[in-house]
Amino acid sequence: MEIFLKLRYSFFIIFILLYFVVAQSQEMIDPSQSPSTNQQTLPPDSVIQQLKDLQNTRIENKKSTVENKEIKKNQEEKEEKTEEKEKESKYITEKAELEESDIENNLNKIYSDVLKDKKLKQFGYDFFKGSKKALSPVGDDYILGPGDNLKVFLWGDPVDILYLDREVSLEVSRDGTVYIPNVGVLNVAGLKIGDFKKILTQRLSSKYKNLKVDVVLEKLRAFKVYTTGFVKNPGVILVNPLDNLIDALTLAGGVSKNGSLRNIEIKRKTPDGIITYKVDLYDLFIKGLPVDVKLRDEDVIYVPPIGDTVAIAGDVKRPAIYELKDEKTLEDVIKFAGGFNPSVSEVFVRLSRFSKDGVKIFEGSLSDKDFIKTKLLNGDFLFFGQKPSVMENAILVKGEVYYPGYYSINDTKTLKELIDKAKPLVNAEIVQIIRENKETFSTKIKDIIENKLDIDLNSKDTVIFYNKYLSEPIYVFGYVKQSQTVPYYPNIRLLDVLRDVEFKEDIRRLKAIVIKNKELEKIKRKTNELESLKEEDLIGLNYDTVYLYDLLVKYDESKNINLYPGDTVVILKTARSEKAPSVTILGEVKNPGKYEIDRSTTLADVIKKAGGYTENAYPQGLIFIRDTIKKLQKEKLETTMSLLEEEFIKSTRQVSFATEEEKQAALMAIQEQKKLIQLMRKKAEFGLGRIALDIPPTLQELEKSNQNIVLEDGDTVIVPSRPSYILVLGDVYNQIALPYVKGYRLKDYLEMVGGVGKNADKKNIYIIKANGRVVSSQSVGRSFLLWSGLEDYQLSEGDTIVVPTELKIPIAWRPMIKDIVQIIFQSISTAVLAKRL
């Protein structure tokens, strides 16, 4: 019996800490009533009526779930088959990209001596490869139709501090109707989303108090269009109402290289006959003009054969094979190539043209007006030459040095001078000189530095510094300011290799392609120079892709992969549609949803993108959740809970010395404690990761405020509606939500719940503001020296009063337990504020 009493006492304090979070969380008063110390709970009739409404709602939801279960199952099977077909189609498309068209093959063969190792491609056809649509929230003006999937959110004033309001998933049926619990069947086909919200609000307002409704379009309906002519996968494709011509052609695998990009036709049936729209994709690709023709059911997209072509090569910004339309002269097509490089020669222009006897060449210059007015013919080849090389007096330095590149022979005459300037890396040991006549000299770098030896350099020498390690190093190149060779050592990881790399682009737009050493030979068969590697060269190879934002900003440890001798790290640009950083904004904004961000996007920027605040918004209570903070808080929570569970295990071992009756009673108590810990952990998870911000009441003030922070990928912003309550939690006689009364102080609200409990820690009572910040007796004492302390602190809308239990636990645990208790109560406060959404 004595052992049982000891166990009972040891669990008592922990039980109180956990119990007050859960045991009485269901009791809340009606916020619409005036405060009264004699009336602390809902009337019994109201409670019974709430339970009945809740039960009816659950029954209706259950019916709807059973009816839709089989439909969802069939839909999932269809989606799986569609994914398999898309993967197969993507593989075929990627394989086709590696193959040259007849136009490309013939031209590259005929002019191989002029092009050297470079090959020309037909312009514009790569545009469709791997293209995906960017995120674009649907507004209230979207017109609903059969096949659209909706999610309806319903919320109002809080009743239960730990219970979130409803959300209902709907699908518009073939006859244009939806079934809504507590409403019935509604015909929504042809309605705008905004009008549907109004109708739903009117129908339910008579049944629920202070009801608010929001509708989000989860999945768009699909309809058929036909792609014909020179597309890679002609036939029927499914598109949605937001898709345009570009989207449809992308779904069809893109335009075949034998098809025209400049004379695409969209044919549409109307009561007055067939209407044809003609589109020139060069308007988008070259001029940057939008091509936003919206598609309709049964539209036919026809891609005719390609027209006349000309090839432009040499010292231009965009060498390629271009299709002609209205362009007639050399002057007309120069703009296709994007202009000239600074090194272009004005007097070296060649026009090659097919004739009966072969290829005829015409010479000219850019300053010759008659020449640039020359009329072009199908198959013409234009080559713009380069000025004479300026590297005649240069030395090329490669390998293990900080500053590779060209050095002037006039300023760097000996190998010793070159070493002083190029600065070999610590792993460099051997230096080799390769003369223009292929003669070579090799020596140790140490001998040159110690003046044991020196070698005169000649113009056009190549000097290479080699790694001293036996293992092959790791190579880094691509979109970096300077390619690097990093010595390999055991357990080296990607972050170690990229630590000193400077990138040419914002890391949000870059990714690292890690190629295994054994795959390099396969790549060399496709491209002669690894530094000109493109993503299409990697098809069919074994490699890893790591987005630099995940590794260097979000510090995702799983992305910090191990590297091995000879591995190559290529830094490439990330396609806009491949991984776009985004944030989610919900609540009282005009267009809630997910929005793309860049490196400088701020909180005010994304609120503007979402249309600004609604009239009912409460910016001062804005909830800002960041994944990195959530991860840290969750780890802290798990650590504390694990300590408590370990204590339970120790207690279980001690029970073995008690009587059988005492043992059973103690084990039951331990099991109850474990259940409470698990429940407590779940209740706390919603508000984890919140960063407390002092948000001004207007968007204009926020833009100028230091609280207008820069956003990160994965951030969540929730703008709550104006609260009308005060929460009282912890060791009080009645945990409840009280109506907010302007001017009421802390002690007024505590009196309304009957005061604090016997084990309450009165010295450490604190207040969680609606913005997440904490006010304690210490902070009030410093800020309001003339006041009588926290008891006289006037509360604001949405504040939460927390009365902790006096902790009688091991001293070493107390700071950790206090932090966890604060995190838990802040999470509950956040959940109550957000549940109105």
Side-chain angles (χ1 to χ4, degrees), residues 470-625:
L470 295 177
S471 297
E472 189 173 359
I474 296 164
Y475 306 96
V476 183
F477 56 85
Y479 279 87
V480 295
K481 292 184 179 179
Q482 179 180 317
S483 299
Q484 293 196 17
T485 303
V486 181
Y488 170 82
Y489 57 85
N491 300 320
I492 189 170
R493 304 176 77 181
L494 182 58
L495 195 58
D496 301 321
V497 171
L498 299 180
R499 195 180 308 278
D500 298 322
V501 173
E502 292 185 50
F503 304 100
K504 290 183 179 179
E505 296 276 349
D506 183 352
I507 58 175
R508 294 170 183 260
R509 303 188 182 95
L510 296 177
K511 60 185 174 183
I513 304 296
V514 181
I515 307 167
K516 300 303 177 185
N517 189 12
K518 61 183 180 180
E519 299 291 318
L520 291 179
E521 286 302 317
K522 298 178 184 178
I523 295 175
K524 290 177 181 178
R525 297 172 195 164
K526 300 179 180 181
T527 177
N528 294 327
E529 295 181 7
L530 286 176
E531 295 190 357
S532 63
L533 185 69
K534 296 180 181 178
E535 197 157 2
E536 51 261 37
D537 298 324
L538 302 174
I539 297 174
L541 301 180
N542 178 28
Y543 63 92
D544 295 312
T545 301
V546 176
Y547 297 99
L548 296 190
Y549 182 78
D550 292 341
L551 176 65
L552 302 178
V553 178
K554 299 179 75 174
Y555 304 109
D556 187 345
E557 185 65 17
S558 64
K559 308 300 181 184
N560 192 19
I561 60 178
N562 288 317
L563 301 178
Y564 301 94
D567 283 356
T568 298
V569 180
V570 186
I571 307 300
L572 298 177
K573 282 187 177 181
T574 302
R576 177 182 173 83
S577 57
E578 186 177 0
K579 182 176 175 62
S582 63
V583 298
T584 301
I585 181 167
L586 304 171
E588 294 295 338
V589 290
K590 294 179 181 177
N591 299 303
K594 186 174 283 189
Y595 292 84
E596 293 181 5
I597 61 171
D598 57 31
R599 190 175 186 179
S600 60
T601 302
T602 63
L603 178 60
D605 294 334
V606 79
I607 294 174
K608 281 184 177 180
K609 288 184 179 181
Y613 299 127
T614 64
E615 294 180 357
N616 197 37
Y618 186 60
Q620 295 93 323
L622 183 141
I623 299 168
F624 185 89
I625 297 174

Side-chain angles (χ1 to χ4, degrees), residues 204-223:
L204 291 172
S205 292
S206 61
K207 299 182 180 181
Y208 297 97
K209 185 177 180 181
N210 296 328
L211 178 76
K212 297 282 180 72
V213 177
D214 201 358
V215 179
V216 175
L217 188 64
E218 285 195 309
K219 184 178 179 182
L220 299 170
R221 65 182 181 273
F223 55 85

Side-chain angles (χ1 to χ4, degrees), residues 620-637:
Q620 295 93 323
L622 183 141
I623 299 168
F624 185 89
I625 297 174
R626 177 157 287 173
D627 286 341
T628 50
I629 303 298
K630 181 185 292 186
K631 184 178 178 181
L632 293 174
Q633 287 186 340
K634 193 169 184 179
E635 289 175 355
K636 195 171 186 179
L637 182 66

Side-chain angles (χ1 to χ4, degrees), residues 633-817:
Q633 287 186 340
K634 193 169 184 179
E635 289 175 355
K636 195 171 186 179
L637 182 66
E638 290 294 332
T639 301
T640 304
M641 295 304 179
S642 297
L643 286 173
L644 292 174
E645 289 175 350
E646 287 178 12
E647 190 66 15
F648 290 146
I649 294 172
K650 292 178 183 177
S651 301
T652 305
R653 293 171 183 168
Q654 294 176 3
V655 169
S656 61
F657 298 101
T659 65
E660 187 63 29
E661 184 178 349
E662 292 171 344
K663 182 178 179 179
Q664 292 299 323
L667 288 175
M668 288 178 64
I670 290 170
Q671 291 301 320
E672 287 297 319
Q673 298 301 316
K674 288 183 177 180
K675 290 179 182 178
L676 285 173
I677 286 178
Q678 294 300 325
L679 182 60
M680 192 176 182
R681 180 185 285 134
K682 290 180 181 178
K683 298 295 184 185
E685 285 184 356
F686 176 84
L688 293 181
R690 183 174 181 183
I691 298 176
L693 297 173
D694 290 323
I695 304 298
T698 66
L699 189 55
Q700 291 75 17
E701 290 175 306
L702 175 60
E703 288 179 309
K704 301 176 183 178
S705 170
N706 60 2
Q707 302 295 296
N708 187 23
I709 62 175
V710 177
L711 302 179
E712 292 182 4
D713 184 28
D715 285 347
T716 299
V717 180
I718 303 173
V719 182
S721 55
R722 182 171 293 276
S724 58
Y725 61 86
I726 299 294
L727 284 179
V728 183
L729 302 174
D731 200 353
V732 294
Y733 286 104
N734 190 15
Q735 292 188 94
I736 205 167
L738 299 172
Y740 168 74
V741 179
K742 187 175 181 180
Y744 267 39
R745 298 162 296 177
L746 173 69
K747 62 182 179 181
D748 297 326
Y749 287 104
L750 290 178
E751 288 176 3
M752 292 170 69
V753 297
V756 301
K758 294 180 181 179
N759 296 314
D761 187 357
K762 298 178 182 179
K763 294 181 181 180
N764 289 306
I765 294 174
Y766 58 92
I767 299 165
I768 301 174
K769 305 294 291 180
N771 64 2
R773 295 194 182 276
V774 175
V775 176
S776 64
S777 57
Q778 290 86 354
S779 62
V780 169
R782 288 194 298 268
S783 302
F784 305 90
L785 295 176
L786 299 178
W787 289 44
S788 57
L790 191 65
E791 287 186 343
D792 289 321
Y793 184 85
Q794 291 187 4
L795 276 76
S796 304
E797 296 166 285
D799 285 355
T800 299
I801 300 170
V802 179
V803 182
T805 300
E806 189 171 1
L807 299 173
K808 297 179 181 179
I809 55 178
I811 295 175
W813 287 21
R814 291 180 185 177
M816 183 186 300
I817 295 293

Side-chain angles (χ1 to χ4, degrees), residues 109-120:
K109 280 184 178 179
I110 294 171
Y111 300 107
S112 59
D113 291 338
V114 178
L115 296 172
K116 296 182 180 179
D117 295 330
K118 297 179 181 178
K119 292 186 177 182
L120 291 182

